[in-house]
Amino acid sequence: MLLRVSNLHKSFGPNEVLRSVNLELRHGERIALIGPSGSGKSTLLNCLGGLERADAGELTFDGTDLRALSGEALAALRRERLSSVFQFFHLLPTLTARENVAFPLRLLGVPPEERRQRVSALIDQVQLTERQDALPEQLSGGEQQRVAIARALVIRPRLILADEPTGNLDSVTGAAILDLLESLTESHKTALILVTHSREATRICRRVLKMRDGTLAPADDQGLHHIHTSTATP
Ligand code: ADP
Ligand code: MG
C-alpha cells in the first residue's frame, strides 16, 4: 500500500473540516476526489502532502509515518517522492518552461547531464519541445499546466496530488490535460489523487470518492462509469 490514512482529523479553530478520513491507495493507483466547495478536499490534499498538519489520526506514505516527521524531513520527502499540481500552475515566473521543469532536479543535486536528459524526455512527453524556452507569461493556460505536469513527474514521484488541475482551463484544454495526466501517470507508474469539480475527470480514475461531512465515501453516482457499464453489458 502506498498511502494509508485512518481516522484523520483536522480543524481550523472551531471549524472541524476533516472529521474522520479513511483512505488507502495502492502503488500506481489513480483516484478522483469530488465534493462541494468548502468540503475539505484541498485541506485533505495539503495534509497528505505535508503542507498542513493533521490534528489526529494516522498518515503513512510509502512506509513513512508523515505525522512523526519534522518540517525539514517533510520538505525533503516532498522534494524526493511526492509532487503537486495546482489550479493556478504555480510556475516560477522568471524561469523558462524548461528551467521550471529542471528546477526540482537542481534542488536534488542531480548532475547536469542526467538533468538535461530527464528534462528533455519530459518536455517531449508533454509536447512542449517548441515552447521550452518561453516564459510562463508567454504560455497559454494549457501549456503552463503541461509544464507543471512535467515538473511534477521529473523527480519520478510515487504520488502526484492534483488539486483541480483543470479548474482554470476551458473544457477542451482541460480534457487534454486529463488525458495527459492519465497517460503519463500510467507510463511512469505514478499514483494520482485528483481533486476535481468536473464529472469529466472521473473518467481517468477507476475509483471516485466523495468528501462529505468531513469524511470520504464512495461516490454514489459514478457518472460515466455507470453508463459505460450498462452499455457494455446490455
Ligand atoms: P475545498 O477544497 O473542498 O473547497 P477547503 O479544504 O479549501 O475545501 O476548505 C474546507 C474548509 O476549511 C472551509 O470552510 C475553509 O474555509 C476552511 N479552511 C481551509 N483552509 C483554512 C485555513 N488555512 N484557515 C482557516 N480555515 C481554512
Ligand atoms: Mg479546494
Side-chain angles (χ1 to χ4, degrees), residues 12 15 17 35-44 52 163-164 195:
F12 295 106
N15 186 5
V17 177
S37 183
S39 61
K41 304 180 299 297
S42 295
T43 300
L44 175 59
E52 294 272 11
D163 197 349
E164 303 196 28
V195 167

Side-chain angles (χ1 to χ4, degrees), residues 22-218:
N22 295 285
L23 174 65
E24 288 191 337
L25 187 72
R26 295 188 303 276
H27 284 274
E29 187 179 7
R30 281 189 298 273
I31 64 169
L33 205 58
I34 63 174
S37 183
S39 61
K41 304 180 299 297
S42 295
T43 300
L44 175 59
L45 239 55
N46 291 341
C47 289
L48 301 182
L51 296 175
E52 294 272 11
R53 291 277 187 184
D55 301 326
E58 288 168 42
L59 187 47
T60 308
F61 168 70
D62 204 17
T64 304
D65 175 5
L66 291 192
R67 298 202 55 224
L69 293 186
S70 67
E72 179 44 46
L74 270 178
L77 182 136
R78 284 186 63 81
R79 285 194 295 274
E80 292 162 5
R81 286 190 267 169
L82 188 146
S83 294
S84 296
V85 175
F86 302 97
Q87 182 174 358
F88 294 104
F89 323 129
H90 293 201
L91 301 179
L92 293 165
T94 60
L95 300 185
T96 65
R98 186 181 177 89
E99 289 165 345
N100 267 281
V101 177
F103 192 74
L105 297 184
R106 285 183 176 273
L107 293 181
L108 288 174
V110 172
E113 180 54 25
E114 184 187 344
R115 202 162 69 213
R116 198 190 60 72
Q117 288 176 13
R118 283 168 65 174
V119 171
S120 292
L122 267 164
I123 291 272
D124 290 347
Q125 285 167 34
V126 300
Q127 292 154 26
L128 281 176
T129 318
E130 309 296 315
R131 303 290 283 142
Q132 60 182 304
D133 296 320
L135 291 168
E137 66 181 17
Q138 299 166 324
L139 298 173
S140 69
E143 287 171 334
Q144 290 184 63
Q145 199 61 300
R146 282 191 271 152
V147 175
I149 290 169
R151 178 180 61 179
L153 280 162
V154 79
I155 63 166
R156 299 175 179 155
R158 295 291 172 88
L159 173 64
I160 292 181
L161 301 171
D163 197 349
E164 303 196 28
T166 63
N168 197 38
L169 303 174
D170 66 74
S171 60
V172 172
T173 307
I177 288 294
L178 290 180
D179 290 342
L180 194 64
L181 271 174
E182 179 180 31
S183 65
L184 291 181
T185 53
E186 189 70 34
S187 63
H188 290 252
K189 299 186 170 62
T190 308
L192 175 71
I193 301 181
L194 174 68
V195 167
T196 177
H197 272 308
S198 124
R199 288 249 146 242
E200 256 290 90
T202 59
R203 80 184 148 82
I204 74 160
C205 300
R206 202 163 294 152
R207 264 168 86 201
V208 181
L209 299 176
K210 186 167 188 178
M211 180 72 83
R212 187 157 169 261
D213 298 330
T215 67
L216 277 181

